[in-house]
Amino acid sequence: MRKTEAGVVGVNYGMLGDNLPPSNDVVSLLKSQNITKIRLFNPDIEALQALQNTGIEVILGTLNQDLQPLSANPSFALDWIQNNVIRFAKTIQFRSISAGNEVIPSDMQNYVLPAMKNIKMALDQATAAGLLASRIPVTTAVATSVLGNSFPPSQGEFSQEVGPVMGPITSFLAEKQSPLLVNVYPYFAYVNNQDAIPLSYALFNSEQVVVKDGENTYKYLFDAIVDAVYSALEKVGGGGQSVQIVVSESGWPSGGNVGDAAATVEYAKTYNNNLIKHVSGNSGTPKRPGKSIETYAFALFNENLKPPGTEQNFGLFYPNMTEVYPVYFT
């Protein structure tokens, strides 16, 4: 198997399990797999301490319930940054800070941009004190449920519900040259529309064009989803190269719901290994060709405190750190 471009593919380190290994052991596992980037959904201090001086880069998320105080109280944001970022800034390279995960659309969506602004202001204040924290991008992570239309990809646009929020967020990201984190799951698109979507299109196995969209052609559903979000960004002022997408989650379950013939070890193995090969190459997507796509596989472990079914079976590893199936990060 050909080598991936170094540093393109990371993994989500979720912690919704009561049987997960200690963070020091997890870091040893990451090193053994040549995984050099991870995403943390919240600032778990044990994990951050274990990651110090390892060279593993981190996307750090805020808890969704912290968005309201982060948005309303600059001093809360300053304390959050001081406690969770500044104290580790000399020993961990932070890829970005994510204000929440999949909050848009919801009744909390209006907290996201003010929280992002206060986090950015707190990072800038730290820089004034002599640290380089202002270089850390501030963003948020969205699911593709932000789209009101996604097909064909060129017609991708944000829904009316989220447009008033995503427009200003896109402007902020463009101004600060920060990426948008997007959770991309061909699995869910496939299982919800199996009559129209070939399995090979979802698994990166299609050898022929499945969707023709003007001059752009698509063999892989992943690319079509990413480009639909790029089209939506363009329609609210994030066109050109001004806002890049980082794929903050993508994966395939190895088991779960009764009757779900798509959730198998073999399909999960196929998807994740093909994902790594695809995003690590220089093909990009039809709308953004010629470069790799920073992507975070979902997820490191099967997590037994998530809802029963497929949600508990996205892990690359069991909690005892044996592999569910082989995944080749190098």
Side-chain angles (χ1 to χ4, degrees):
M1 180 170 293
R2 70 169 179 79
K3 290 184 176 293
T4 63
E5 182 180 331
V8 172
V9 182
V11 68
N12 285 267
Y13 178 11
M15 300 181 186
L16 294 179
D18 60 13
N19 56 354
L20 299 178
S23 293
N24 284 327
D25 292 345
V26 173
V27 167
S28 296
L29 175 65
L30 295 171
K31 289 180 176 179
S32 75
Q33 299 295 313
N34 297 304
I35 297 170
T36 59
K37 287 183 172 66
I38 68 161
R39 177 179 177 221
L40 293 175
F41 291 89
N42 61 280
D44 182 272
I45 297 304
E46 178 190 322
L48 289 168
Q49 289 173 338
L51 287 161
Q52 291 184 101
N53 299 308
T54 61
I56 297 171
E57 300 174 68
V58 178
I59 291 178
L60 182 62
T62 73
L63 291 168
N64 287 348
Q65 57 262 40
D66 283 343
L67 286 173
Q68 194 279 330
L70 283 167
S71 70
N73 190 343
S75 64
F76 183 94
L78 192 59
D79 287 343
W80 193 96
I81 288 296
Q82 189 66 45
N83 292 331
N84 302 312
V85 178
I86 302 307
R87 65 185 285 197
F88 299 106
K90 293 183 178 179
T91 55
I92 295 175
Q93 182 175 341
F94 291 99
R95 296 290 299 170
S96 62
I97 308 297
S98 174
N101 179 54
E102 297 189 351
V103 175
I104 306 167
S106 78
D107 56 4
M108 294 196 299
Q109 67 183 23
N110 290 323
Y111 298 142
V112 175
L113 181 57
M116 291 169 63
K117 289 179 175 179
N118 282 341
I119 291 169
K120 177 59 178 169
M121 185 167 60
L123 289 170
D124 289 345
Q125 288 185 31
T127 300
L131 293 168
L132 299 177
S134 70
R135 296 181 180 178
I136 303 172
V138 179
T139 183
T140 190
V142 299
T144 50
S145 54
V146 296
L147 298 176
N149 186 51
S150 61
F151 185 85
S154 63
Q155 298 304 306
E157 61 183 354
F158 295 120
S159 69
Q160 291 184 344
E161 180 182 1
V162 308
V165 175
M166 288 306 301
I169 286 175
T170 301
S171 297
F172 175 89
L173 296 174
E175 177 189 348
K176 306 299 183 184
Q177 296 184 307
S178 296
L180 177 67
L181 307 184
V182 183
N183 300 336
V184 177
Y185 284 98
Y187 163 77
F188 289 116
Y190 169 72
V191 296
N192 290 321
N193 198 10
Q194 295 183 44
D195 290 341
I197 298 176
L199 180 61
S200 60
Y201 184 49
L203 291 174
F204 296 98
N205 275 343
S206 176
E207 296 181 356
Q208 49 201 305
V209 170
V210 177
V211 171
K212 192 173 190 313
D213 183 14
E215 295 182 354
N216 292 331
T217 58
Y218 293 87
K219 293 196 297 182
Y220 307 137
L221 179 54
F222 176 93
D223 288 348
I225 295 171
V226 171
D227 277 357
V229 181
Y230 270 125
S231 293
L233 288 168
E234 291 168 0
K235 291 178 175 65
V236 294
Q241 301 296 314
S242 59
V243 178
Q244 298 296 310
I245 288 173
V246 167
V247 176
S248 41
E249 295 178 26
S250 194
W252 196 284
S254 60
N257 299 335
V258 175
D260 184 353
T264 70
V265 169
E266 192 60 36
Y267 290 156
K269 173 185 173 183
T270 298
Y271 179 83
N272 280 306
N273 282 292
N274 284 345
L275 170 73
I276 292 168
K277 286 192 293 184
H278 178 62
V279 301
S280 300
N282 61 5
S283 60
T285 70
K287 284 184 74 73
R288 296 289 189 275
K291 58 186 176 182
S292 58
I293 306 165
E294 184 177 337
T295 297
Y296 293 77
F298 188 88
L300 189 55
F301 296 111
N302 283 343
E303 299 168 60
N304 67 353
L305 297 181
K306 300 194 84 171
T310 54
E311 290 292 324
Q312 293 187 1
N313 289 279
F314 274 88
L316 307 179
F317 295 88
Y318 295 109
N320 65 6
M321 297 196 297
T322 60
E323 63 186 22
V324 179
Y325 47 85
V327 176
Y328 303 99
F329 281 89
T330 59

